[in-house]
Amino acid sequence: MKYIAMIAAAAFCGGIATVNAAELDAAALKKAKAVYDKECAKCHGKEGKGDTKMGKKLECKDYSKAEVWAKYKADEGFKHVKEGMKVDGKTKMKAFSSKLKDQEIKDVIAYMKTFKKN
């Protein structure tokens, strides 16, 4: 089985199941990290702090901060990755719908949650 079964009480937000890194098996987590490193780290940074040159320019959030995750909405995050994000007509994040399947997007977001410091 590729993914560890989610318990019946899994949280749903806006129709998008929230997935935590603990719910991914080792292979899925490793794949999600590889996707993150290839597609996301150039802006969001290796540790999700948005501290790269491009991340600073685009004002990326610091995903190592618990308060960022406290305000995080799974449906919005998923949509931003899938469809991209524009602010005032300027592209802040390109769409990844042509590169990543829905489950891969969810897995990458789950991997990103490992950056959170309490």
Side-chain angles (χ1 to χ4, degrees):
M1 182 153 100
K2 186 173 180 183
Y3 300 97
I4 297 172
M6 295 175 67
I7 58 173
F12 283 86
C13 179
I16 303 297
T18 58
V19 179
N20 293 312
E23 295 169 329
L24 297 177
D25 66 23
L29 190 59
K30 184 177 179 181
K31 183 177 177 186
K33 180 188 182 314
V35 170
Y36 179 88
D37 289 347
K38 179 181 178 192
E39 302 293 346
C40 311
K42 56 189 151 224
C43 294
H44 291 283
K46 290 280 185 186
E47 298 174 353
K49 294 182 179 186
D51 56 356
T52 65
K53 184 177 180 179
M54 186 58 76
K56 290 175 185 175
K57 180 181 178 182
L58 297 172
E59 300 175 341
C60 289
K61 294 178 182 173
D62 183 347
Y63 287 101
S64 69
K65 293 185 176 183
E67 58 265 23
V68 170
W69 286 107
K71 295 176 185 174
Y72 177 81
K73 294 181 177 138
D75 57 337
E76 287 178 8
F78 180 87
K79 183 178 179 180
H80 290 158
V81 176
K82 185 170 179 140
E83 299 174 11
M85 187 172 80
K86 289 188 177 190
V87 175
D88 298 327
K90 295 181 182 179
T91 299
K92 297 277 270 184
M93 188 164 94
K94 67 180 182 175
F96 285 90
S97 57
S98 64
K99 289 186 175 186
L100 302 174
K101 296 176 184 171
D102 288 0
Q103 189 61 53
E104 291 173 312
I105 294 170
K106 292 174 190 177
D107 291 353
V108 168
I109 293 169
Y111 170 72
M112 289 177 66
K113 290 178 181 179
T114 67
F115 299 143
K116 182 175 97 173
K117 309 284 186 250
N118 293 330

